[in-house]
Amino acid sequence: MDLSGGTPFQRKVWGALRQIPYGQTRSYAWVAQRIGKPKAARAVGAACGANPIPVIIPCHRVVASDGSLGGYSAGLAWKRKLLRLEGVAV
């Protein structure tokens, strides 16, 4: 998978997203912590939105800290469908 079009920050985020297990979610803040940028939750959201292969790099598994869905490049209906498919209650 060629992710060379992403910035170094985006590639770090996308790498962290691949570590989120099937059927589980993590927050944007969790991802920011994971990549060593604890104050970058909004930037993590932007990197998720720039994800070139959103089903392979599972940005749909990232939610807001309050448990709300946040955003998704393909729309929230798709995010809900993907999460339900994985058995996540939304």
Side-chain angles (χ1 to χ4, degrees), residues 12-64:
K12 282 184 185 180
V13 169
W14 300 337
L17 299 181
R18 292 195 308 254
Q19 303 305 311
I20 303 172
Y22 183 91
Q24 295 184 25
T25 61
R26 300 291 188 269
S27 70
Y28 295 100
W30 179 90
V31 175
Q33 280 286 134
R34 183 83 173 191
I35 65 167
K37 301 284 185 182
K39 296 183 180 189
R42 285 185 179 210
V44 166
C48 288
N51 178 357
I53 44 178
V55 175
I56 305 299
I57 298 175
C59 55
H60 64 279
R61 296 181 188 152
V62 183
V63 297

